[in-house]
Amino acid sequence: MNFLAHLHLSPGGGLVRVGNFMADAVKGRDLSDYPDELAHGIRLHRAIDQFTDSHPEVRSFRRHFSPHLRHYSAVAQDVLFDHYLANRWEELGSGTPLTHFAQNCYAELMEAREFLPDRTQRMTDALVRENWLEAYASEDGTHGILVQMSRRTLPGNGLDRTMEHFSPHRTALEVHFDRFWPELVDFVTAYSGGPGEAR
C-alpha cells in the first residue's frame, strides 16, 4: 500500500500514523530509540507490507503490469490501490471527508518532523506541497504522482506510463482490490485493535 492507505490504517493517528508513514526509511529491527507509538507504527507498516505482498489478489493485480514494469509493478500497485481508496473514500474511509483527513495528516507529519529521516522529510514536503493524498482520487492526479515517482528511479522504469495500461482495465482490476481491502482491514484490526479513524 502507498501513503494514503498506510496513514488511514493507523489506529488513533498521532505518532502511530507518523511511524507507519516513515517506516520505509527505517532500517533494522531495533526500534528502542523511538517512542513506543512511533515504533508501533513502524512495525504495523511492515506487517501491512508483508500481508499485502503475500496476498493472492495483490499478486494477480501485479501480474497485469509485470510485462511493462517488471519489479516496479509493486510500486504501481501501491499507488493504484491508493487511487481506489481515495476515489471511493466516502465508502471506504471512516466518515471524515478526505480533505479534512489529508490536512490532519499533513499537520501531524509536520509536527513530528524531528522524527522523520532526511529522505522522508523531503517526501513529506512534496506530499504536502502537492497535496498527494487528495490527488490520488483522480486518474490525472494519480498519473502525476506516478510521473514524479518515475523521475526518482532508474530511467526506463515505465511508471510514467502506468495509467495507459490501467485505465482500459480499471473496473476489472478493481475486483482484485475489492477482494483484498476488507481482508487487509480485518488484518489490521486483529494486529492492533482496528484501522485508524479518518480524522
Side-chain angles (χ1 to χ4, degrees):
M1 310 305 291
N2 207 234
F3 299 124
L4 181 61
H6 277 294
L7 290 165
H8 173 54
L9 296 171
S10 298
L15 287 181
V16 175
R17 183 173 286 157
V18 174
N20 202 339
F21 175 78
M22 64 184 266
D24 280 338
V26 177
K27 306 303 179 185
R29 296 184 179 182
D30 183 5
L31 304 177
S32 58
D33 289 340
Y34 295 104
D36 288 345
E37 289 186 347
L38 198 71
H40 175 68
I42 294 169
R43 294 189 185 97
L44 174 61
H45 179 109
R46 293 171 177 177
I48 289 172
D49 280 358
Q50 184 175 15
F51 179 86
T52 300
D53 289 343
S54 63
H55 199 284
E57 294 296 339
V58 173
R59 290 177 176 175
S60 295
F61 189 97
R62 289 179 184 174
R63 277 197 292 270
H64 177 82
F65 295 96
S66 57
H68 312 287
L69 300 175
R70 298 178 296 281
H71 63 279
Y72 288 106
S73 62
V75 178
Q77 169 261 305
D78 285 347
V79 174
L80 293 171
F81 276 14
D82 266 13
H83 167 62
Y84 285 130
L85 175 59
N87 184 256
R88 295 166 53 188
W89 183 260
E90 290 187 5
E91 170 194 354
L92 301 174
S94 53
T96 298
L98 180 58
T99 296
H100 183 77
F101 175 79
Q103 294 304 315
N104 186 67
C105 286
Y106 299 152
E108 289 182 343
L109 293 171
M110 297 306 289
E111 184 177 349
R113 192 178 180 85
E114 63 182 292
F115 296 112
L116 302 178
D118 289 344
R119 60 176 275 202
T120 310
Q121 289 187 16
R122 293 191 295 272
M123 181 62 70
T124 301
D125 290 341
L127 188 85
V128 174
R129 182 177 62 250
E130 298 165 28
N131 194 12
W132 280 23
L133 298 184
E134 291 189 77
Y136 286 118
S138 70
E139 288 198 16
D140 285 345
T142 303
H143 172 69
I145 290 169
L146 286 161
V147 168
Q148 292 188 58
M149 288 186 164
S150 175
R151 292 170 181 163
R152 294 188 177 102
T153 57
L154 295 174
N157 56 74
L159 287 171
D160 55 340
R161 298 182 59 197
T162 298
M163 300 308 286
E164 295 177 24
H165 307 296
F166 169 73
S167 296
H169 307 287
R170 174 192 177 93
T171 302
L173 287 167
E174 198 163 7
V175 172
H176 297 299
F177 173 82
D178 283 340
R179 292 171 179 165
F180 164 72
W181 179 255
E183 295 186 17
L184 175 61
V185 172
D186 288 346
F187 171 78
V188 172
T189 300
Y191 185 91
S192 59
E197 288 298 315
R199 300 181 299 173

